Amino acid sequence: MTSSDIDVRNVTIIGSGPAGLTAAIYTARASLEPLVIEGEPSSTGDQPGGQLMLTTEVENFPGFPEGIMGPELMLNCRAQAARFGAELKTEKVSRVDLSSRPFGIWVGDPEVADPTYRSHAIIISTGAKALMLDQENEQRLIGRGVSTCATCDGFFFRDADIAVIGGGDSAMEEANFLTKFARSVTVIHRRDSLRASQIMEDRARANPKVSFLWDTTVTDVLGDQTVTGVALENVKTGETGTLDVTGVFVAIGHRPNTDLFKGQLEMKDNGYLVTDGKSTRTNVEGVFACGDVQDDVYRQAVTAAGSGCAAAIDAERWLEDQH
Ligand code: NAP
């Protein structure tokens, strides 16, 4: 391939969750003919359509008074982007070169000299992954009692007994939030002291519906069609047992999907991309970031979609200034 054969795009969107697809809808309607590299399913949890493809009903996305299934919402967004001319490719980006413009984007073998695409602007919307225990039954029961998002799914656990796994701020926040619905919330933590900030810990300890199981790991999630309990092991004594719960919220942290951009884009200590103020601009001119990959605070589908819109507008204005 000669470098003149390389496909040069106005704007390429990497990632296809609510942020990426909203950016695709907006840039397509602005006649920028965006290319969306939507990713490929993988055993490590990569998923075109993002985290909503792994959820069941979404009740808090505005516009759907009866709720909508997560995968259906994302397929609708995808169809909407395609309707306005976005080109969607089910491929995975293996390498980017942001050192000169038009930027280089590789899919497939990252070692080949020439990139697969070049693009004047890039919108990064590669999202984040909720960390999980990586146990077979935990994975099988996602959306059937196992969740990683109390804000999304807590409502479905009215009067239920729930376990929250983890000892950080997320676990405390989820535990407190879940007591709005649940009868009881048991925080299961692998050590005898929390990682959470003092104020979050105090709040959880003061909540009469929250109790703690210390030095304990969840060795299995129990249940055939839906969750009925968890199997436990005390890491100090080796004692095993079970706890009857119908909900298991795994709150052991998130990891942004930013490995591709290491050494090229500014990141926070926790790996999230840094954007400039209220904009979606990264430290490299022409590269914009939106959605969970740059948001370690809100992490909601609707906030991701909102920032996808902002990224599209930022990219469109930047391209206009360039030409
Ligand atoms: P985190 O601080 O990394 O805490 C993760 C917790 O999960 C830790 O207690 C850890 O145990 C436990 N854990 C990790 N892997 C595990 C495994 N395989 N099995 C069992 N337990 C495991 O993550 P986070 O709570 O999501 O917080 C991330 C960041 O966001 C933090 O900086 C936090 O302050 C911030 N945050 C802030 C707020 C707020 O202020 N409102 C809310 C949420 C998050 P160990 O303690 O033993 O390592």
Side-chain angles (χ1 to χ4, degrees):
M1 191 194 289
T2 66
S3 47
S4 59
D5 293 334
I6 298 171
D7 210 355
V8 182
R9 304 295 179 124
N10 293 317
V11 56
T12 301
I13 298 164
I14 307 177
S16 59
L21 292 178
T22 304
I25 293 166
Y26 272 75
T27 49
R29 291 192 77 251
S31 303
L32 290 173
E33 300 173 329
L35 169 67
V36 183
I37 305 180
E38 61 180 355
E40 279 173 348
S42 82
S43 57
T44 53
D46 296 323
Q47 185 68 46
Q51 296 181 73
L52 283 189
M53 296 301 282
L54 303 173
T55 59
T56 50
E57 198 166 8
V58 180
E59 288 187 329
N60 54 7
F61 201 93
F64 301 94
E66 306 303 326
I68 182 166
M69 298 303 277
E72 189 187 352
L73 177 61
M74 295 326 298
L75 291 175
N76 285 347
C77 291
R78 191 180 189 279
Q80 194 172 351
R83 178 183 153 209
F84 293 113
E87 185 183 353
L88 293 116
K89 298 231 177 194
T90 313
E91 296 173 336
K92 193 167 171 170
V93 174
S94 55
R95 175 181 160 199
V96 293
D97 178 3
L98 307 179
S99 62
S100 61
R101 295 201 301 263
F103 303 116
I105 300 168
W106 282 252
V107 300
D109 185 357
E111 303 300 331
V112 298
D114 283 326
T116 319
Y117 308 103
R118 286 199 176 276
S119 189
H120 295 294
I122 292 183
I123 295 177
I124 297 169
S125 49
T126 46
K129 269 191 214 85
L131 298 176
M132 299 200 75
L133 302 174
D134 282 333
Q135 295 169 355
E136 199 180 323
N137 287 323
E138 171 207 42
Q139 297 295 313
R140 180 176 59 80
L141 292 166
I142 290 172
R144 296 152 184 255
V146 174
S147 171
T148 53
C149 177
T151 316
C152 320
D153 298 330
F155 185 77
F156 301 115
F157 292 87
R158 224 166 254 287
D159 297 324
D161 296 311
I162 293 179
V164 171
I165 304 170
D169 281 336
S170 293
M172 297 308 109
E173 194 169 66
E174 305 252 301
N176 275 318
F177 179 78
L178 288 166
T179 60
K180 290 183 185 190
F181 314 101
R183 185 169 58 187
S184 76
V185 176
T186 307
V187 175
I188 303 171
H189 184 38
R190 62 184 178 182
R191 293 188 294 126
D192 61 2
S193 64
L194 295 172
R195 179 179 295 276
S197 53
Q198 196 60 48
I199 186 168
M200 302 287 276
E201 172 170 351
D202 292 347
R203 215 173 279 161
R205 284 184 185 270
N207 190 321
K209 285 189 181 177
V210 176
S211 59
F212 292 85
L213 270 180
W214 303 105
D215 297 317
T216 302
T217 55
V218 169
T219 51
D220 200 3
V221 180
L222 311 174
D224 184 12
Q225 295 301 315
T226 58
V227 169
T228 56
V230 284
L232 304 171
E233 181 175 348
N234 184 301
V235 293
K236 283 192 174 155
T237 64
E239 198 184 328
T240 56
T242 59
L243 178 71
D244 292 341
V245 288
T246 53
V248 177
F249 284 78
V250 185
I252 60 174
H254 283 79
R255 206 173 79 84
N257 299 317
T258 50
D259 288 354
L260 272 179
F261 313 108
K262 275 189 184 143
Q264 302 197 64
L265 290 178
E266 196 185 334
M267 295 178 192
K268 296 187 199 174
D269 288 345
N270 59 8
Y272 285 79
L273 295 182
V274 173
T275 48
D276 181 15
K278 279 188 171 179
S279 82
T280 61
R281 288 190 300 269
T282 67
N283 62 309
V284 172
E285 209 186 310
V287 180
F288 305 86
C290 55
D292 284 12
V293 74
Q294 51 83 59
D295 175 11
D296 54 357
V297 179
Y298 300 108
R299 301 187 185 122
Q300 298 299 302
V302 69
T303 49
S307 77
C309 162
I313 293 173
D314 286 344
E316 186 189 345
R317 289 182 181 161
W318 181 80
L319 284 166
E320 230 168 65
D321 286 349
Q322 298 304 303
H323 298 316

